[in-house]
Structure formats: C-alpha cells, structure tokens
Amino acid sequence: MIKKRPHTAREVAAFTLFSMEEEGAWSDGALHHYLDRADLAPRDRALATRLAYGVIQNRLLCDWYLRQFSKVRLSKIAPRVHICLQLGIYQLALTDRIPAHAAVAETVTLIRNYAHANERTVGFANGVLRAVAQAAANNQLPRLNCPDKESFYSLHYSHPEWLVRLLTAQYGQKPTAAILAANNAAAPVSIRVNLLRSDRDTVLNRLTEDGFTVHPHPKAASMILAESGDIASHPLFTEGVVTIQDTASAVCVELLDPQPDTLVLDCCAAPGGKTFYIAERMHNQGTVISCDIYEHKLEKIQAGAQRLGLSIVQPTLQDAAQPRAEWVEKADSVLCDVPCSGMGIIRKKPEIRYKDADEIQNLPEIQKKILENCANYVKPGGTLVYSTCTILERENQAVVQEFLQQHPEFKAVPIEHPVFGTSESGMITLLPSIHDTDGFFIAKLRRLT
C-alpha cells in the first residue's frame, strides 16, 4: 500500500486505484485502508467512495472518452497518469454535481504530486481535461457509436463485450441491460440479526437511535438494509448481535434448512457467513464442520463464531475436492458453495467484471469435481445444496444438471422463499436487478438412497 497519508477525497480515490493497479488490491479493502488513514468529514468520505467506485464501474467508458480527446495512445500513457485522467474524466463527463474547475485542477495536482510526471505530461493532461470540460459544458460530448446493442451495452455500462454477449444469450437484451445497470448501482449494506441474541425490531430501534438509516428487508425476516454506515465498528457487531451478510447468502442457508442436533458440512466455508447462520438456525445445537484450505481463513471463521457465541462450529482444514473417508454418508446436510467467477457480486466488487474470459473458462470442471466429492458426504434422505455467487449458467444449471444425469440417487426438490417465490426445478438464480440481492445461484438436492 502507498505509505503517504491521503488528505483529500480525490487522494483517497487515487490511492485506491493506484493500489489496485500496482498491487492487485481489491477495491473495498484498499478503499477502507485509505479512508481509515485519512481524516475526512463524512461528506468527503462519501465523495471518495463515489469517485473510486465510479471510475472502476465506468473504466471502459472513461477510456473511450479519453481516446476521443487524447492524441496520445492509451498504451503510451504512464499508468498513474492514465488512472488520474480516468478519475478526472469520470467527474467531468459522468457526474453533474462536481464543479469542472475543481475536477480539472485537483486531477492535475494529483498527476503532478503522485504520478512522477514532468511538466510536459502535466500540460498534456491539463489540455485533455480542459477539452473534456468544455465539451461537457456545451453538451457536446461525443455520442457513443456502436454497431449493435451488445457493444453499446458493453461501452455504456463498462462491462467486457464477451460478458455482455454471454449474458444476452442467456437472459435476453433488456434483462441484460437491467443486470448491467444494477451492477453499477450502489448496493445497500445487508445486516443479519443474530436471533439467538436479539430480535430485528430491537436492532432496528438501536441502529436508528444511533443515526443509521435502516429499514427491515421486506421479504427476509432476519435481514435489515442500511443505506450506508460502518456497521462493523458498531457495538451490536462487536457484541455478536448482528453480522454483515447479503440476503442471497441468507436465503441459501434458509433453503438448506439445517436442523438442531444434526451434522452439517459447509465444504467451502470462508469467510464463514453461511456457517454462522447455519449454526444459528440449529440453535447452536449439533455440529457444523466448516472447511477451508487456508489456516488463516479458519482462524477468521473461529473468531467470527466466538463473536456470535456459536460453540458448535468446527473449523477444519480440508480441500473440498479431496475425499474424507470418515465423512462419507455421515452428514444430514451439506452446503457446497463452490469457487466461481463471482459475476453475481459485481455491484460490490466492480473490478470482477474485468476478469479475462480465459481466466474463468475451467471453473465448471473444478466445480463438478467439488460437487462430485461433497455429494458423497450426504447420508440417505439428506440434503445437498449447491450454490455460487455467479449468474452464468455454465457454472450453475449446467453443472447441476450434469451431476443429476450421472447420479440418479439424487433429485432436485422444489424450493420456495418470499424473496423469489417458488421454483419447481429446485434451482433459482437471484439477480440484483430483480431481487435486490447479490447475483446468486442455489440448487437444492435430496439423496434418495
């Protein structure tokens, strides 16, 4: 991370973007790091967040505008200068409440102070930004000129064209546009109440008294939605009364329907949110074996369970793709939340959209291997839930359908929940544009013999 302490909202945003480019940092982690180091008023913290995420969400569009106004090819622009120009163009072309003179002047200052730029480069950047500002002020920004809907959506919503075409083939043009728009919208902070320690009304009242803007989720009984705020530093969090978990993840556990005094395996558990809710739904009675392949993640699961007062969680070092003989046909319920492309959580981690298509091509084979192995742990009459945080069929329905064809001892069972209604197929894809949750896939299977 950059050692210098940021002092302005734009410095926080720029440092976040620099760390992502230079160190491979995740947006949320880098942003929180620099916000913690900066002594900003709430309004400036909000601006820093808006600028950082705004650039990530609109990177392709910002670069398109940059090409229209720059005589220098993007590949020839130094990385930090390029990032600062994206930050300036986002403010000038894609927002309407930031004064142009401030956007230009402060972006040029960032380039001069943090991009190792000489005066010629500073002059080049200043000229580009002034030209964009003038075009925006005169309502003369160039119009997007695209050969078809998919390429237009790709540019307008800044999603790679391969992903847009894949989603369009799966969902259709208009639903895909709605998904892409939702990916660029702000996600609420989802708070789940630990019902072993309190109730939703009590928590709602406490958070409201402490200045949070919150309301109950209309269709998920244990969930609260907050417009913003640092819930993780609130006493209700540190005391284990609430935890942060998306509604889709909570729905997944509710469909698993774990019962007290049973054995449940969470086969790919980190960071532990589903494990915790499973244990709570079991009234902290029985056993939850919570698996991951990294020791440090197991330590975090253990710490989370202790915070929430859950004594039945057993963090266990285990690769979900490798067999464990003593678990075969022993579990009443198995949750198989497999590694995936993450294309359902773009609104929370917007950089995920820029993954290379080849990078995720082999995921279905990994997912099939994990599902095949973990299915062996389900006892006859037991439940197996397969889930992902992606909305791509090849990682979801295709994997489950192939598994069912090869394993007649399992069948999909109909599911229902207030968040989505009913699904006779036993499978549901939750979408941010429809269900206001993360994009998430859930399939519920039962072992017959």
Side-chain angles (χ1 to χ4, degrees):
M1 294 292 184
I2 298 169
K3 294 182 179 180
K4 292 183 179 179
R5 180 185 295 273
H7 297 289
T8 69
R10 289 176 177 83
E11 287 185 352
V12 168
F15 286 14
T16 297
L17 297 168
F18 293 163
S19 290
M20 292 176 65
E21 172 70 20
E22 297 166 8
E23 303 160 33
W26 284 106
S27 57
D28 53 351
L31 178 62
H32 288 147
H33 172 78
Y34 293 116
L35 284 174
D36 287 345
R37 287 177 56 80
D39 185 20
L40 299 181
R43 183 175 179 179
D44 286 331
R45 288 176 65 90
L47 176 60
T49 301
R50 182 186 179 194
L51 293 178
Y53 281 125
V55 170
I56 302 166
Q57 290 168 339
N58 294 279
R59 183 179 296 161
L60 299 182
L61 185 54
C62 288
D63 277 351
W64 185 84
Y65 281 123
L66 180 53
R67 289 188 187 94
Q68 313 310 307
F69 289 93
S70 171
K71 294 181 180 179
V72 179
R73 285 183 296 172
L74 269 57
S75 61
K76 297 295 185 181
I77 300 174
R80 285 198 178 186
V81 176
H82 186 183
I83 288 169
C84 290
L85 285 170
Q86 291 173 333
L87 183 58
I89 287 172
Y90 170 72
Q91 295 171 75
L92 294 167
L94 301 175
T95 68
D96 55 9
R97 294 186 179 180
I98 297 177
H101 64 86
V104 173
E106 295 204 32
T107 301
V108 170
T109 298
L110 288 173
I111 292 172
R112 179 174 280 118
N113 292 344
Y114 301 113
H116 316 296
N118 57 32
E119 285 305 310
R120 180 179 179 182
T121 300
V122 171
F124 155 75
N126 184 56
V128 168
L129 293 171
R130 287 183 176 277
V132 175
Q134 184 175 0
N138 296 331
N139 197 29
Q140 293 180 344
L141 286 171
R143 295 181 179 274
L144 306 186
N145 183 19
C146 302
D148 57 26
K149 282 283 188 180
E150 286 76 18
S151 57
F152 173 80
Y153 290 157
S154 172
L155 194 54
H156 182 69
Y157 297 109
S158 281
H159 285 64
E161 192 168 321
W162 70 264
L163 177 58
V164 175
R165 294 191 183 279
L166 190 60
L167 292 175
T168 301
Q170 184 174 322
Y171 294 104
Q173 283 187 343
K174 288 186 178 180
T176 293
I179 291 169
L180 303 180
N183 284 346
N184 284 355
V189 180
S190 298
I191 306 163
R192 186 176 57 73
V193 179
N194 180 356
L195 298 178
L196 299 181
R197 291 192 163 176
S198 188
D199 61 83
R200 188 165 71 170
D201 287 344
T202 299
V203 171
L204 279 166
N205 291 335
R206 174 76 179 277
L207 292 175
T208 301
E209 289 171 0
D210 291 345
F212 289 87
T213 302
V214 292
H215 62 273
H217 192 288
K219 296 181 179 180
S222 64
M223 302 299 299
I224 293 172
L225 300 178
E227 291 187 7
S228 61
D230 187 7
I231 297 295
S233 65
H234 193 277
L236 287 176
F237 183 89
T238 56
E239 294 165 7
V241 177
V242 301
T243 196
I244 298 171
Q245 183 175 23
D246 189 77
T247 302
S249 178
V251 169
C252 178
V253 173
E254 289 167 7
L255 292 176
L256 181 70
D257 194 25
Q259 297 298 308
D261 299 315
T262 61
L263 172 62
V264 180
L265 290 179
D266 186 353
C267 295
C268 306
K274 298 181 194 69
T275 282
F276 305 147
Y277 194 25
I278 288 169
E280 291 171 33
R281 297 277 294 190
M282 295 168 65
H283 305 297
N284 203 32
Q285 299 170 18
T287 302
V288 183
I289 299 177
S290 183
C291 304
D292 200 80
I293 60 174
Y294 298 109
E295 288 276 9
H296 71 278
K297 292 187 177 181
L298 295 178
E299 293 171 2
K300 291 184 177 180
I301 293 172
Q302 184 63 53
Q306 290 175 348
R307 177 178 64 84
L308 294 161
L310 303 169
S311 59
I312 67 170
V313 173
Q314 297 182 5
T316 303
L317 191 67
Q318 178 64 29
D319 184 339
Q322 298 302 316
R324 186 92 168 224
E326 65 268 32
W327 292 350
V328 172
E329 295 191 11
K330 293 295 193 297
D332 298 276
S333 303
V334 171
L335 175 58
C336 197
D337 187 63
V338 298
C340 69
S341 61
M343 292 301 170
I345 56 172
I346 288 175
R347 64 178 186 167
K348 291 180 178 174
K349 291 188 174 181
E351 62 269 35
I352 283 178
R353 74 187 74 188
Y354 300 117
K355 285 183 176 180
D356 190 272
D358 293 337
E359 183 182 348
I360 63 174
Q361 194 64 35
N362 294 328
L363 279 171
E365 293 307 313
I366 297 170
Q367 294 157 345
K368 291 172 190 175
K369 185 175 181 180
I370 292 174
L371 180 58
E372 285 272 352
N373 182 57
C374 295
N376 293 321
Y377 304 144
V378 184
K379 64 170 54 173
T383 298
L384 171 63
V385 165
Y386 173 91
S387 64
T388 72
C389 57
T390 187
I391 59 174
L392 303 183
E393 281 187 358
R394 65 189 185 191
E395 298 179 54
N396 296 335
Q397 291 93 333
V399 171
V400 174
Q401 287 165 354
E402 181 175 329
F403 172 82
L404 289 172
Q405 289 171 1
Q406 297 173 355
H407 292 273
E409 71 273 22
F410 282 89
K411 73 169 185 177
V413 294
I415 52 177
E416 63 177 315
H417 193 282
V419 167
F420 63 82
T422 56
S423 170
E424 293 298 323
S425 71
M427 307 180 203
I428 187 67
T429 302
L430 301 176
L431 296 172
S433 53
I434 296 175
H435 305 102
D436 197 22
T437 66
D438 284 348
F440 207 90
F441 175 77
I442 308 166
K444 182 171 182 176
L445 314 178
R446 181 154 291 128
R447 182 164 196 163
L448 304 176
T449 58

